[in-house]
Amino acid sequence: MNLEKLDLSGNNVTNLAPLASLRLLSVLCLSANRISNLEPLRNCEGLQNLNLAGNIISSIENLHCLQPLRKLENIRFKDNTYNYTNPVCRNAAYRNIVLEMFPNIKVLDGERVVGRGSELYQLCKDIDDTIKAGLYKNGQLVEHSDCKPWVEDNYWEIKRSNNAIIEEAYKQFNDVLHECRLLNNRATHVISQTERSMSLKKQPKQYAI
């Protein structure tokens, strides 16, 4: 009865009735199941984080029972990382409707919508969408021949200094890099020799009469 965190992902769960008595539950993961009815979660008033990605929740009406959950801050109905979703997510207005239904939500489907970091996240998302939109025209990838590097060609070149300490550090660093290259060459040689010897062992023995 005092359970606070529960992960039931990937268990073919269809009925949530046994969870209705877990009023102290704060984190609940139900991804990758076969859930369509969320009504029993209405009583889980302590829920803050709820993952329902990868189920069969079909309509916005199925979400109304979650509205009394005032502590709910993080909710997920789809997860692009694992290609989990719900039929309800196909609704063109899904995102806006969910945010209106749950005004206290800070994170929706893994995207921060309010609070610290939300503006930066949205900015990066807008930039990403703009770049993707500019890459394709009529479904074809567009090559931009006029693209130029962000910095000048010699930007990354190390500028030498008259400071003796810096010069010595620069020399030691180059020595270390040189040793690393030598070790890499030796390792490559040993690996190639080992692979060659192993391939020879795998060949069937031949006899000449």
Side-chain angles (χ1 to χ4, degrees):
M1 295 296 292
N2 294 326
L3 198 64
E4 296 181 359
K5 297 181 180 180
L6 180 61
D7 186 348
L8 292 172
S9 56
N11 279 286
N12 284 325
V13 175
T14 57
N15 181 19
L16 298 179
L19 305 182
S21 59
L22 300 178
R23 296 182 179 276
L24 298 181
L25 201 62
S26 62
V27 179
L28 178 59
C29 182
L30 294 167
S31 62
N33 284 293
R34 297 182 57 78
I35 300 165
S36 59
N37 181 16
L38 304 175
E39 189 65 33
L41 298 182
R42 178 190 296 272
N43 298 321
C44 300
E45 53 194 29
L47 267 183
Q48 299 177 23
N49 190 320
L50 178 60
N51 187 345
L52 290 163
N55 282 282
I56 50 176
I57 302 167
S58 58
S59 67
I60 295 294
E61 286 70 26
N62 296 122
L63 309 181
H64 287 309
C65 59
L66 301 178
Q67 286 185 283
L69 305 179
R70 301 302 180 187
K71 294 183 179 180
L72 197 58
E73 295 183 347
N74 188 331
I75 189 167
R76 184 188 285 271
F77 295 105
K78 62 180 179 179
D79 189 337
N80 295 329
T81 303
Y82 300 100
N83 200 27
Y84 292 161
T85 186
N86 280 277
V88 67
C89 299
R90 298 171 191 162
N91 188 321
Y94 149 77
R95 180 183 172 86
N96 292 333
I97 294 175
V98 170
L99 291 177
E100 288 180 6
M101 289 177 62
F102 304 98
N104 296 328
I105 286 293
K106 294 182 179 178
V107 181
L108 174 62
D109 297 332
E111 299 181 6
R112 179 167 283 279
V113 292
V114 295
R116 186 175 182 182
S118 59
E119 293 180 359
L120 177 60
Y121 187 94
Q122 187 60 43
L123 176 62
C124 293
K125 188 173 184 298
D126 291 343
I127 292 174
D128 192 44
D129 291 342
T130 303
I131 292 174
K132 288 180 180 178
L135 288 177
Y136 292 89
K137 186 176 182 179
N138 297 327
Q140 299 294 324
L141 184 64
V142 178
E143 294 186 3
H144 298 277
S145 57
D146 58 340
C147 290
K148 297 180 180 179
W150 289 7
V151 296
E152 297 176 358
D153 293 339
N154 61 347
Y155 181 84
W156 299 108
E157 291 182 5
I158 299 177
K159 297 177 175 60
R160 305 303 292 268
S161 171
N162 295 326
N163 191 308
I165 297 176
I166 295 178
E167 282 293 318
E168 180 61 26
Y170 179 80
K171 179 180 178 300
Q172 292 180 11
F173 181 71
N174 276 320
D175 290 343
V176 172
L177 285 179
H178 179 67
E179 291 181 11
C180 290
R181 293 190 184 98
L182 291 177
L183 287 172
N184 180 64
N185 293 336
R186 291 173 190 169
T188 303
H189 179 66
V190 171
I191 291 172
S192 62
Q193 282 188 324
T194 305
E195 290 177 342
R196 194 179 301 112
S197 62
M198 291 179 67
S199 64
L200 290 175
K201 289 180 181 180
K202 292 180 181 178
Q203 293 179 0
K205 295 182 179 179
Q206 299 177 357
Y207 299 93
I209 301 177

